[in-house]
Amino acid sequence: MSGTDAGMRIGKVGVIGAGAMGSGIAALVASAGVPVLLLDVPGDQDRDGPARRALERSLKARPAPFMDASQAVIVEVGNTADDLDRLAECDWVVEAIVEQLEPKQALFAQIEGIVGPAAIISSNTSGIPIRLLLDGRSDQFCTRFLGTHFFNPPRYMHLLELVPTGRTSPDVTLAMRTFAERFLGKGVVIAKDVPGFIANRLGLFGMVRTLRLMERFELTIDQVDALTGTLVGRPKSATFRTGDISGLDVLAHVADGMSRTTGEDFSLPTWVHYLIGKGHVGEKAGRGFYTKTGTDILTYDWKRGEYAPQQPAEFPELSFLRERPLAGRLKGLTTAGGAAAEFLRCQLVDTAWYTLQHAPELSPDIVSVDRALEWGYGWERGPFWQYDALGVQFLRSAFEEAKKTEPPLMQVAREGFYRELNSGLRQLTLAGTYAPVDEIPGLIEPAAVRRRLGDVESNDDAALLDLGDGVLLLEFRAKMNTLGPGVFLLLEAAEQRVRHDGFAGLVIGNADPRTFSAGANLSGLLRRAQAGEWAAVDAGVRAFQEGVTSLSRFAFPTVVAPFGLTLGGGAELALYAPLVQAHAELHMGLVEVGVGLVPAGGGTAALLQRFSRDLEAYPEADPFEGVRRAFQLITMGTTSTSAHEAKRLGLLRTSDRVTMNRDRLLAEAKARVLDLAGDYAAPLPVRVRGLGREALGNLEYAVWAMQEARRITAHDALIGKRVALVLSGGDGPPRDLSLQDLLDLEREAFLSLLGTSATQERIAHMLATGRPLRN
């Protein structure tokens, strides 16, 4: 059962409505280990059929709503005609039915007498004011009611807008916030109870304004998406790809509702309604603003009313911006020439005016606005941060030129919207003062630590930081956080500092948004191999092996905190860490075969040791099963889609812990170091039985069969045989193998493959394109 700071406990959740949002919320809650009751309208023959089919669709959907398919077992299904009384056993009931006021009001009238007296009740409405949903409800019901606006898909979008009314108990809001942050991994923003709340109100305005400016400037969809994506700090899906993902019908429905509830004009162009009328409503229909014919992408030509081959959008007049960081790109747009820059200036100025005008009625502070757009719409930085980059004076002049009344927030903004002081970040208030920014609960920011204390030690590859309380952080710094020699120099330095300077232990992690580590630095490796510097390559591999495996020998607690892309050497660090605190969204795997190599930083040895040890409790088990399991994971280059799946695959241990909220990852890793610092003992060395020639023959037969079936190339077969040789402990009789025996076999196999032209071609192709080569 899951506890909260407010003393309330959420041990079971009821979800009413099994559409995309309802089933997605159910999958996320189940992924957190909390049982779910999922209800939908009754079916004609199978009363629970609609909810059951929604659950089945969730298990097949990609990207997967569940973090591991096995978690669906704790989702019960039912229907709203027969099973509403089962909501009495739920501690939180969330409504996610059709986005219309009357059906929602009728549902809440039905369940008021059913739900428990302490249960939290909420609506997932995307924009209907929460107070309207409570018409006719008792005070006791209203105190336990609030909006919980998830973003689609719930598992992957970080934002949850909590929308309390004036009658919602503060304890209920706190309980819901705590549960959402700790157990569901959400970034919570408190929004005011107004139409569209924060993110959808501002996001929809930006979408509608972009459409109108596109028509005014006579730009194409391809051109607008090229301009409104990463160039201005928005997602790669930009404007129209995002629209296709959301659904044009959903966009039109929300725009119509926003127009009615606000009295503002959110109407979409007639050609968008034409697409909707034709059923071309986006990705779910196969056609929207974009469509595919075979492998060709077609874009809708809104002037001619037909699809045409996608055209590259080139803006040479803006090329000087590409290499700048976001703040520099935005500043550059204020003076750049050409129609494309003018379009972007108009878009930025119009949305800035609307945001500045309406922010006080949508949000309690400006940082909540920034977080809502960053977490809900995938912006690199929020609007107020961007306005500081554009410059207050630029915006004032632009508003004056456009004959727009200066918003109250703008009138009190003298130097900007944020101030960075020694005491921390400050934000502008409507009163014209600067107030502290509320910290994200549990967040440790290495950049903030560095600003305050500086680096303990650093080089081009990594840095050591003091997290306080006697805990060091080893942070990677190279591109994609690759593991160069500097990482292992600082790892050795960290060991010395813990041993001699009174530190309690070490966390290995970083704040990169996507990548823990992509593994070894392949470019340097390829360069040395092509130059024939084999002694240097051999020494480098030995040093890499020594650095990775040293984690298991440290006499103090070392916690690796992987997340996102954790590949190759990054995965090997986690495999040898005595303690792992992983983020739930973990894409971990030994993928070296994709570049024609075997895992040689100890990864092959680690899997063999781990899977062989798993069988020791079962004397009758065939020891070859451990070998086969490791061989399959390595040769298939299997990568987990979550930390939960990584446990099932054996890449993580059952004792390894999972953090649902990325913001809390480093703090929870640090806490684990401190928990164990007093009585920590390093794990004992492991020896395994190498099965020798017999196991090698079995694996080589499997490789031969794959090649005969033309499922792998000749070079794939060679790689498979090298992996088989390591896992078998060589081509000889069975023998006991130490870790060093296995590392030597790994290194020999690695060097022999690196010497082949086919492997070098694979590495070069990966470095050039980011994609594997099958040769």
Side-chain angles (χ1 to χ4, degrees):
M1 185 173 285
S2 305
T4 67
D5 285 342
M8 301 179 182
R9 302 186 70 81
I10 296 177
K12 186 170 185 176
V13 175
V15 181
I16 309 173
M21 288 304 299
S23 60
I25 294 167
L28 174 63
V29 172
S31 295
V34 180
V36 179
L37 172 64
L38 178 63
L39 305 180
D40 206 280
V41 295
D44 293 333
Q45 296 179 340
D46 179 0
R47 301 280 286 176
D48 299 340
R52 194 186 325 280
R53 287 190 292 274
L55 183 60
E56 291 168 353
R57 284 193 299 271
S58 292
L59 290 169
K60 298 174 183 176
R62 295 294 180 271
F66 285 94
M67 293 183 178
D68 192 77
S70 63
Q71 293 159 323
V73 72
I74 60 173
V75 179
E76 303 172 68
V77 297
N79 69 80
T80 52
D82 305 325
D83 299 306
L84 285 180
D85 61 326
R86 295 168 65 188
L87 295 172
E89 61 198 46
C90 297
D91 304 300
W92 169 35
V93 176
V94 55
E95 165 273 312
I97 65 171
V98 62
E99 188 69 356
Q100 295 174 16
L101 178 61
E102 291 78 11
K104 291 179 186 289
Q105 289 175 328
L107 175 65
F108 294 129
Q110 279 185 282
I111 69 171
E112 179 171 6
I114 296 172
V115 295
I120 298 172
I121 310 99
S122 72
S123 172
N124 184 57
T125 177
S126 59
I128 299 173
I130 303 303
R131 65 185 181 278
L132 300 181
L133 302 176
L134 294 172
D135 187 38
R137 304 282 59 78
S138 68
D139 287 343
Q140 204 267 351
F141 187 89
C142 293
T143 61
R144 296 179 286 127
F145 194 95
L146 74 168
T148 50
H149 179 210
F150 289 83
F151 280 67
N152 195 27
R155 171 184 167 184
Y156 299 96
M157 299 306 294
H158 191 49
L159 178 63
L160 173 64
E161 288 179 315
L162 290 186
V163 192
T165 71
R167 301 162 76 182
T168 306
S169 164
D171 284 347
V172 166
T173 304
L174 176 59
M176 195 68 247
R177 178 172 195 154
T178 303
F179 179 76
E181 287 174 341
R182 290 189 177 175
F183 296 94
L184 303 185
K186 292 295 146 195
V188 172
V189 164
I190 305 296
K192 293 186 178 180
D193 188 17
V194 294
F197 314 131
I198 301 174
N200 276 357
R201 180 75 167 271
L202 299 178
L204 182 62
F205 177 85
M207 175 75 166
V208 171
R209 194 66 194 134
T210 300
L211 286 165
R212 293 176 185 172
L213 287 170
M214 179 181 76
E215 293 181 328
R216 176 178 143 194
F217 282 83
E218 297 189 332
L219 298 174
T220 67
I221 284 175
D222 288 328
Q223 288 173 322
V224 170
D225 267 1
L227 291 169
T228 59
T230 55
L231 177 66
V232 288
R234 312 292 166 82
K236 289 175 66 176
S237 55
T239 299
F240 292 100
R241 176 70 184 124
T242 298
D244 272 354
I245 294 169
S246 301
L248 279 66
D249 53 340
V250 173
L251 179 64
H253 178 76
V254 173
D256 180 62
M258 202 76 76
S259 295
R260 282 187 283 105
T261 53
T262 64
E264 300 171 17
D265 181 11
F266 285 91
S267 60
L268 301 175
T270 54
W271 58 268
V272 177
H273 289 287
Y274 170 78
L275 285 172
I276 295 168
K278 296 277 287 183
H280 300 168
V281 294
E283 190 174 74
K284 59 191 173 187
R287 286 195 163 204
F289 297 121
Y290 294 99
T291 189
K292 278 185 93 171
T293 301
T295 58
D296 296 327
I297 298 175
L298 306 180
T299 308
Y300 187 70
D301 185 332
W302 60 271
K303 298 176 188 175
R304 298 171 60 186
E306 60 186 33
Y307 289 95
Q310 188 173 40
Q311 299 297 316
E314 302 290 341
F315 302 101
E317 69 274 25
L318 300 180
S319 60
F320 74 99
L321 300 174
R322 293 291 178 186
E323 298 305 315
R324 296 185 180 184
L326 178 58
R329 297 198 300 274
L330 293 170
K331 193 68 175 177
L333 283 171
T334 64
T335 56
E342 182 61 24
F343 162 80
L344 283 174
R345 277 196 293 271
C346 288
Q347 201 270 351
L348 288 167
V349 168
D350 288 353
T351 55
W353 184 87
Y354 187 87
T355 300
L356 285 160
Q357 184 70 23
H358 291 280
E361 71 188 65
L362 306 179
S363 170
D365 50 33
I366 66 171
V367 73
S368 295
V369 174
D370 276 1
R371 288 170 179 171
L373 273 298
E374 290 168 9
W375 296 343
Y377 278 75
W379 288 23
E380 184 178 338
R381 299 304 298 262
F384 286 96
W385 185 95
Q386 293 195 16
Y387 303 155
D388 276 345
L390 289 167
V392 169
Q393 205 50 52
F394 165 77
L395 288 174
R396 278 206 177 94
S397 299
F399 294 160
E400 185 178 352
E401 184 179 341
K403 296 181 170 51
K404 294 178 181 289
T405 304
E406 193 169 285
L409 258 179
M410 197 71 198
Q411 294 171 12
V412 297
R414 294 180 296 278
E415 300 174 10
F417 298 98
Y418 290 108
R419 281 183 178 175
E420 185 71 59
L421 304 177
N422 290 335
S423 57
L425 188 64
R426 303 277 170 149
Q427 60 177 322
L428 182 70
T429 69
L430 191 57
T433 59
Y434 287 86
V437 170
D438 288 340
E439 294 183 355
I440 297 170
L443 178 66
I444 292 178
E445 291 186 284
V449 174
R450 182 174 295 108
R451 284 194 300 269
R452 192 172 69 252
L453 300 174
D455 295 334
V456 175
E457 290 188 44
S458 65
N459 56 44
D460 289 343
D461 291 332
L464 278 178
L465 299 173
D466 184 349
L467 295 182
D469 301 312
V471 179
L472 285 172
L473 172 70
L474 176 60
E475 176 192 43
F476 310 142
R477 285 188 170 176
K479 184 179 180 181
M480 296 291 286
N481 290 323
T482 52
L483 305 176
V487 169
F488 299 108
L489 286 174
L490 286 192
L491 183 61
E492 185 176 348
E495 182 190 19
Q496 294 299 313
R497 286 184 176 274
V498 173
R499 288 175 58 189
H500 301 298
D501 296 347
F503 285 94
L506 174 68
V507 170
I508 299 177
N510 61 76
D512 188 278
R514 298 176 186 85
T515 305
F516 171 73
S517 175
N521 183 343
L522 290 176
S523 59
L525 181 69
L526 179 62
R527 186 169 59 251
R528 287 193 176 93
Q530 290 175 333
E533 298 173 2
W534 292 107
V537 173
D538 180 76
V541 177
R542 288 176 186 271
F544 197 100
Q545 290 179 327
E546 172 61 25
V548 169
T549 60
S550 69
L551 296 184
S552 65
R553 299 189 295 273
F554 287 168
F556 52 84
T558 301
V559 178
V560 170
F563 59 88
L565 293 179
T566 301
L567 306 176
E572 288 169 325
L573 284 172
L575 286 168
Y576 279 92
L579 306 160
V580 172
Q581 187 78 39
H583 182 225
E585 297 296 347
L586 179 68
H587 300 271
M588 178 179 175
L590 298 173
V591 296
E592 286 84 349
V593 294
V595 290
L597 296 167
V598 301
T604 308
L607 289 188
L608 179 63
Q609 289 181 330
R610 180 170 296 184
F611 296 157
S612 297
R613 194 162 59 247
D614 287 346
L615 295 173
E616 289 176 356
Y618 309 97
E620 72 284 359
D622 182 354
F624 180 70
E625 281 305 301
V627 176
R628 183 195 59 78
R629 187 180 173 193
F631 179 79
Q632 196 168 32
L633 268 184
I634 293 168
T635 56
M636 297 296 289
T638 303
T639 302
S640 70
T641 59
S642 69
H644 301 75
E645 187 183 24
K647 285 193 174 190
R648 182 168 55 80
L649 293 171
L651 295 167
L652 293 181
R653 297 156 296 205
T654 55
S655 59
D656 291 330
R657 295 183 184 175
V658 177
T659 296
M660 289 293 285
N661 194 327
R662 173 67 199 284
D663 294 334
R664 294 176 174 269
L665 182 60
L666 290 179
E668 293 186 4
K670 175 186 172 182
R672 201 161 179 208
V673 169
L674 295 173
D675 284 346
L676 296 168
D679 55 2
Y680 178 78
L684 297 173
V686 175
R687 296 181 69 88
V688 297
R689 185 70 172 167
L691 303 182
R693 188 173 297 115
E694 183 177 351
L696 181 62
N698 290 337
L699 295 177
E700 287 187 337
Y701 176 79
V703 171
W704 174 84
M706 293 275 284
Q707 188 176 6
E708 283 293 297
R710 298 186 178 181
R711 295 172 63 185
I712 60 174
T713 67
H715 196 58
D716 290 330
L718 178 61
I719 299 164
K721 290 176 182 177
R722 293 292 184 268
V723 174
L725 188 66
V726 178
L727 292 172
S728 303
D731 185 12
R735 61 179 177 130
D736 288 338
L737 298 168
S738 67
L739 174 59
Q740 190 59 54
D741 292 330
L742 289 167
L743 293 177
D744 291 342
L745 287 166
E746 275 188 359
R747 192 174 62 257
E748 291 164 11
F750 182 92
L751 293 173
S752 68
L753 288 168
L754 184 59
T756 65
S757 59
T759 284
Q760 292 182 18
E761 288 167 7
R762 290 190 179 195
I763 295 173
H765 188 269
M766 177 64 75
L767 291 171
T769 68
R771 296 184 178 88
L773 172 69
R774 293 292 302 277
N775 59 348

